[in-house]
Amino acid sequence: MFNKIMVPVDLAHLGALEKALTVAADLSRHYGAALCYIGVTTSQPSAVARTPEEYEVKLRAFAHEHAPDSGHEPTARVYNSHDPVADLDDILVRAIDDVGADLVVMATHLPTHLDAIMPPNGAKIAKHTRASVLLVRNDFSAE
Amino acid sequence: MEKEPSTAPEAPLESVGIPAPQGAANLIDTDYQIGQDNYQARPLGVNIDIHGSVFAVSSLMILGFVVLTLALPEQATAIFNGAKGWINTHATWFYLLSANIFVLLCLGLILSPLGRIRIGGADATPDFSRTSWFAMLFAAGMGIGLMFYGVAEPLTHYGTSLEGTTLGDDGVRTDWAPLRAAAGDEEAATRLGMAATLLHWSLHPWAMYAVVALALAIFSYNKGLPMTVRSIFYPILGERIWGWPGHIVDILAVFATLFGLATSLGFGAEQAASGLHYLFGIGDGDVTLVLLITGITAVALGSIVAGVDKGVKRLSEINMVLAFLLLMFVVVVGPTLLIFTSFFKNIVSYLGELPFLSNPFAREDVNYSQGWTTFYWGWWISWSPFVGMFIARVSRGRSVREFLISVMLIPTTVSIFWFTAFGTTAIDQVRKGFEGAVSAELPLQLFMMLSELPLTEITSFIGIVLVLVFFITSSDSGSLVIDTIAAGGKIDAPKPQRVFWGVIEGAVAIALLLGGGLAALQAVAVSAGLPFTLLLLAGCYAIIMGLLSEPRIAKPTRPTAP
């Protein structure tokens, strides 16, 4: 059904990702699909890493730890951005092509009134790609 | 290209847009994690991620300032004027001396072996192409001021120089002429007027920006500290920068930036309003100003939401093209030959008068040095954290020498050419008997000068558009910078915070214009810059310490811009 699952990862907010990561790992096992974790970082020091290289190392370690036991070691890919908050959608859309993913699994929040002016990333990505997009919402109580 | 992952012991890694390896740099060893003191929450479905102390103190004080200025405009005006008067009399020497130190530091670094150090590590490559980089430097650094003062300042100094000096009863000069003036000598007055203008727009302002930008870039890219002003002071304060000393530095930076920005926005609004009044007969009263600032802030918010690459970068490039067209127009239809010969003459007279114009002590031309130079130094310095951080953000991968030459010498040359084209043309018109520009209000002088050239309506309209686009660019990049400082150096803080700061900038500009007009803008810029000047002087020491601890490139290699 699916050959390659892409999972955008925000290393600064791993707690919010947990459910999406589990779903992605389960689907990868179920379909025997390869996993690819995508991270976006800045040239400037951030909460996660003080240099882009450090970020790469961390994402690599993360990917290794989050390998589903399906025989596929996950890949990891880092994108550099001047303004990740604004450019995230475009980067992820590009990443889908680069990776050749046919399924994107990503965490998202519940719809809010702000979405009209600043749409959530997942919705925008679904609009601009041919891959399937699975938006994983956290528990309602947690929102 | 995708690598086959199955047998790899570690996850294969592919990076896009990260130039690796970055080579040697000397990270500062600290346990501080960026954002560790931040307050993160999601009230009403809006994500926020702010540095609690810096955000709370600065935003509350600024809101208080806006409310008080609007509620008690008369008292506010009195306070502004009092502060400005005191600084003019007592702190002029300090501003002038500090500015000279910044220039000397930058020139020294260009020549010294420290110039070989590369921002971002020995093998870092630039993030932006030279053209975009330069467009952003320029649009952020001067923008509106070039439009506002391009004609007005040369004309003013030319006029006062021509009138000569007058002494008051107390033996203090009451005229506004620079230096010794040039009573009755049109040629000498032109030279002196241009030199006196160029002082404020060339080496000194760019040196101030360069100091802040270089310090931020080195301590962020090479030392791994967050991109916020407190990081500069690590060599002096050590781990204490994460506590209140650091908070105070950042709060001062937010203040300086906000008021420096509001000054420019105020000028922009005044000029756009008088331009619209002149072209279309739209009233240029307070209502127009408020509507203009509101409308432009709204557009700026759109650009803020679009981000750096789609917002500021594109706007800066549009700016650059429009400004270039306007400049070329003036050069071609104006007195072309005169402009070119004057360009070199102006460089000579600028450099010749520079030691006297920048002399901080025993100045006889009190009105010029206190009223003009001090205002500019205060304005530039109060706006330096903004331009500096913006320049730092886009300058990774340049060597210190390339960086300083590009941030200091190239903009200086462009400034000189800009002021030569606009100023010389205007002075030439006056010397041929056209009184329209000289007798007009400052914001209108540009349009009066253009009215003597062909296609007035079109060029004036381009002029207004330029002011507006510069305005939007400044408001956009300013919000980005203030947000980063108030978020403890986080570049990726949620968007609604940027929008908040964009709105605040508009509000402060409106409050200042209504509560005292241009005089209030000038007074606040000069006051906000003073404490920051002290910080910058300490920053000069920190830069040298920071650079000395960096590994040096064996031989100077110029990076290839993408």
Side-chain angles (χ1 to χ4, degrees):
Chain A
M1 187 76 77
F2 297 114
N3 294 318
K4 185 128 206 182
I5 303 175
M6 178 178 117
V7 187
V9 179
D10 180 355
L11 290 179
H13 298 100
L14 282 180
L17 293 179
E18 215 163 306
K19 198 168 160 191
L21 292 175
T22 314
V23 171
D26 289 347
L27 287 173
S28 149
R29 253 191 309 272
H30 184 79
Y31 293 113
L35 267 184
C36 181
Y37 293 108
I38 300 288
V40 178
T41 187
T42 52
S43 299
Q44 291 85 8
S46 70
V48 176
R50 298 170 72 194
T51 60
E53 299 92 311
E54 190 184 337
Y55 188 93
E56 292 186 21
V57 173
K58 286 197 169 172
L59 189 70
R60 178 185 303 190
F62 172 88
H64 190 63
E65 281 166 26
H66 289 77
D69 41 8
S70 60
H72 278 300
E73 175 76 19
T75 44
R77 220 175 221 267
V78 180
Y79 285 80
N80 198 19
S81 164
H82 307 127
D83 192 357
V85 181
D87 297 340
L88 190 60
D89 313 321
D90 295 341
I91 292 174
L92 292 182
V93 169
R94 210 174 81 211
I96 294 173
D97 284 342
D98 292 352
V99 170
D102 43 14
L103 173 65
V104 180
V105 176
M106 61 191 288
T108 191
H109 58 80
L110 289 175
T112 68
H113 50 278
L114 253 189
D115 292 355
I117 17 174
M118 293 176 215
N121 303 111
K124 264 182 97 178
I125 289 159
K127 218 182 261 180
H128 291 104
T129 179
R130 295 171 62 184
S132 306
V133 179
L134 173 55
L135 299 181
V136 182
R137 285 181 178 149
N138 270 328
D139 295 336
F140 285 68
S141 53
E143 281 284 323
Chain B
M1 292 294 290
E2 196 64 19
K3 289 178 198 155
E4 267 317 308
S6 50
T7 53
E10 275 193 316
L13 184 96
E14 302 156 72
S15 317
V16 181
I18 296 182
Q22 297 289 278
N26 190 5
L27 285 187
I28 282 179
D29 186 24
T30 173
D31 291 331
Y32 184 82
Q33 193 200 4
I34 296 176
Q36 70 174 35
D37 298 332
N38 278 20
Y39 171 73
Q40 296 181 350
R42 197 175 152 74
L44 305 169
V46 182
N47 279 318
I48 54 168
D49 185 352
I50 48 181
H51 190 289
S53 317
V54 174
F55 185 91
V57 175
S58 44
S59 60
L60 284 180
M61 287 183 74
I62 289 162
L63 283 176
F65 175 88
V66 170
V67 170
L68 282 181
T69 312
L70 288 178
L72 307 164
E74 282 175 25
Q75 287 85 337
T77 312
I79 295 175
F80 294 151
N81 289 336
K84 188 178 162 197
W86 189 89
I87 289 174
N88 281 349
T89 337
H90 295 98
T92 290
W93 68 270
F94 176 67
Y95 264 130
L96 266 66
L97 182 64
S98 312
N100 293 343
I101 293 175
F102 303 144
V103 174
L104 292 178
L105 174 74
C106 291
L107 292 176
L109 284 178
I110 291 179
L111 299 175
S112 85
L114 294 177
R116 286 199 212 137
I117 293 165
R118 193 174 296 287
I119 298 168
D123 303 322
T125 47
D127 283 354
F128 288 92
S129 74
R130 270 220 178 84
T131 326
S132 316
W133 184 48
F134 187 70
M136 287 191 278
L137 297 188
F138 215 75
M142 297 196 153
I144 292 172
L146 288 177
M147 303 299 294
F148 194 91
Y149 284 111
V151 168
E153 196 177 349
L155 271 190
T156 309
H157 295 327
Y158 167 75
T160 53
S161 299
L162 202 57
E163 282 165 16
T165 57
T166 46
L167 283 183
D169 294 334
D170 48 359
V172 177
R173 266 170 62 179
T174 53
D175 61 278
W176 282 77
L179 296 178
R180 62 212 165 271
D185 183 345
E186 285 191 354
E187 190 57 40
T190 309
R191 277 204 308 271
L192 186 59
M194 289 307 296
T197 306
L198 292 176
L199 171 74
H200 301 144
W201 295 88
S202 310
L203 292 175
H204 285 80
W206 289 99
M208 297 169 193
Y209 300 158
V211 166
V212 184
L214 181 62
L216 282 170
I218 291 293
F219 284 97
S220 184
Y221 293 126
N222 296 49
K223 308 288 183 195
L225 299 184
M227 184 157 278
T228 177
V229 181
R230 68 174 77 199
S231 299
I232 300 174
F233 298 94
Y234 195 91
I236 299 169
L237 294 171
E239 291 291 321
R240 272 169 295 177
I241 61 166
W242 312 123
W244 270 102
H247 299 346
I248 291 171
V249 169
D250 279 353
I251 290 169
L252 278 177
V254 170
F255 272 177
T257 309
L258 197 92
F259 289 115
L261 206 55
T263 308
S264 296
L265 300 192
F267 281 141
E270 288 255 356
Q271 188 170 34
S274 57
L276 289 171
H277 176 68
Y278 167 73
L279 262 192
F280 303 112
I282 299 167
D284 55 358
D286 286 347
V287 181
T288 314
L289 287 178
V290 173
L291 285 179
L292 262 179
I293 296 183
T294 315
I296 293 165
T297 304
V299 179
L301 295 184
S303 163
I304 290 172
V305 173
V308 173
D309 279 358
K310 277 174 272 175
V312 181
K313 190 174 136 213
R314 264 184 222 166
L315 283 174
S316 305
E317 286 162 0
I318 295 174
N319 263 338
M320 182 103 137
V321 171
L322 280 180
F324 182 76
L325 287 179
L326 189 63
L327 180 64
M328 279 305 114
F329 175 81
V330 173
V331 170
V332 171
V333 299
T336 315
L337 195 64
L338 180 72
I339 290 176
F340 280 108
T341 50
S342 305
F343 174 65
F344 297 102
K345 267 198 225 161
N346 288 340
I347 293 180
V348 172
S349 38
Y350 167 59
L351 293 176
E353 303 286 4
L354 190 57
F356 311 106
L357 287 170
S358 60
N359 166 29
F361 303 110
R363 292 290 289 262
E364 285 177 2
D365 48 350
V366 279
N367 281 334
Y368 169 78
S369 60
Q370 297 181 0
W372 282 93
T373 311
T374 303
F375 156 64
Y376 273 114
W377 285 187
W379 185 20
W380 297 141
I381 287 178
S382 66
W383 144 279
S384 68
F386 153 55
V387 187
M389 181 169 302
F390 192 72
I391 295 178
R393 264 187 85 159
V394 297
S395 297
R396 181 189 168 95
R398 311 279 171 186
S399 77
V400 169
R401 184 167 297 145
E402 182 194 16
F403 173 87
L404 286 173
I405 290 176
S406 309
V407 175
M408 220 171 119
L409 300 185
I410 298 179
T412 293
T413 316
V414 177
S415 279
I416 295 180
F417 194 74
W418 179 276
F419 276 92
T420 302
F422 285 79
T424 309
T425 307
I427 293 176
D428 186 51
Q429 291 172 351
V430 176
R431 289 172 71 174
K432 287 181 178 145
F434 172 68
E435 293 292 328
V438 193
S439 49
E441 295 278 318
L442 283 189
L444 204 55
Q445 292 191 343
L446 168 73
F447 302 109
M448 297 311 292
M449 185 276 277
L450 290 174
S451 76
E452 280 294 283
L453 303 176
L455 303 173
T456 315
E457 281 82 8
I458 299 174
T459 53
S460 301
F461 187 70
I462 292 181
I464 296 175
V465 172
L466 249 178
V467 173
L468 296 181
V469 184
F470 271 131
F471 190 143
I472 296 168
T473 318
S474 304
S475 167
D476 182 351
S477 36
S479 316
L480 215 72
V481 165
I482 298 183
D483 178 42
T484 304
I485 302 176
K490 270 201 176 178
I491 303 288
D492 49 358
K495 271 186 207 167
Q497 287 168 217
R498 291 183 196 171
V499 173
F500 169 81
W501 287 114
V503 172
I504 291 281
E505 280 151 28
V508 172
I510 290 175
L512 286 174
L513 276 179
L514 297 185
L518 284 182
L521 295 174
Q522 299 190 348
V524 171
V526 166
S527 325
L530 195 60
F532 205 75
T533 311
L534 278 171
L535 288 182
L536 269 192
L537 285 175
C540 290
Y541 167 77
I543 289 185
I544 297 174
M545 296 310 289
L547 285 175
L548 282 175
S549 66
E550 277 299 297
R552 261 163 260 177
I553 310 169
K555 59 174 196 260
T557 47
R558 296 187 73 81
T560 44

